[in-house]
Amino acid sequence: SQTQLQTQPNKKKTQSQSPSQICSFAVSTVKSSTIDAIKRQKILIEISKQSSPIIYFFSPSELTKLLWSITKVGLPLTLLHPNISIVIFPYINRFKTFEISSILWSLASSGHRDENLFNSIARIIIPRFHLFNPQQISNTIWSFAKLLISNSELFD
């Protein structure tokens, strides 16, 4: 049987969740048509609490999925970590193109404006920009524009 994340704060968790299990549950919760918006948020709040202590054990892909899920239900990324940039920085050289555009979308959608992080990501993007598909390019440009972050190297 598939292990479910604890969504009741007062119940003791009987089994530790792996980052992969956490992310799968987060994404399936967001995509579920049978869970209402308020319940989705409550579940993602619990997922954030459970993920926070182990966030540095997440792979780049898992981190991307978790940030996307939290943002998609309208919650602040600070639920996961008070300074989400600190969590993202160690991964920036390891993100794939779709992960970069998704991370930028999550940051911009949640209003997390960190010029240093965005400029560091831009330096990673520039040599790989030809690998981005149109949607990834659009998400990337939108993210910089939404937060009013200018990067002449990326946009020239």
Side-chain angles (χ1 to χ4, degrees):
S1 94
Q2 181 179 4
T3 304
Q4 293 287 319
L5 282 177
Q6 168 193 333
T7 57
Q8 303 291 325
N10 296 331
K11 289 186 181 176
K12 191 173 184 178
K13 189 167 69 166
T14 58
Q15 197 171 18
S16 182
Q17 306 296 316
S18 73
S20 176
Q21 290 170 317
I22 291 169
C23 291
S24 292
F25 188 62
V27 170
S28 65
T29 298
V30 171
K31 291 183 174 184
S32 174
S33 61
T34 60
I35 303 173
D36 68 61
I38 305 241
K39 177 108 176 169
R40 276 190 197 126
Q41 284 190 335
K42 287 179 181 177
I43 292 170
L44 266 293
I45 288 169
E46 286 304 313
I47 289 172
S48 296
K49 287 178 186 174
Q50 291 181 18
S51 301
S52 186
I54 61 168
I55 196 63
Y56 292 104
F57 294 103
F58 281 57
S59 71
S61 175
E62 293 161 346
L63 180 62
T64 302
K65 290 173 187 172
L66 185 58
L67 295 179
W68 175 85
S69 297
I70 292 167
T71 304
K72 195 72 174 163
V73 298
L75 294 171
L77 295 176
T78 53
L79 281 175
L80 191 58
H81 193 280
N83 184 350
I84 198 65
S85 295
I86 290 171
V87 175
I88 295 170
F89 260 111
Y91 292 91
I92 62 173
N93 287 314
R94 297 173 47 208
F95 285 124
K96 296 176 180 160
T97 57
F98 71 91
E99 294 165 345
I100 291 170
S101 68
S102 181
I103 290 284
L104 290 172
W105 176 87
S106 295
L107 291 167
S109 294
S110 68
H112 185 81
R113 188 177 195 281
D114 183 333
E115 284 190 57
N116 188 31
L117 176 62
F118 270 70
N119 287 327
S120 295
I121 291 173
R123 284 190 290 279
I124 301 302
I125 292 172
I126 292 167
R128 300 194 284 173
F129 209 61
H130 66 283
L131 300 173
F132 280 62
N133 70 31
Q135 183 65 53
Q136 294 162 352
I137 291 169
S138 176
N139 286 352
T140 299
I141 292 169
W142 177 86
S143 298
F144 276 82
K146 168 97 171 132
L147 296 175
L148 302 174
I149 297 175
S150 172
N151 186 290
S152 59
E153 293 176 56
L154 183 61
F155 297 114
D156 280 349

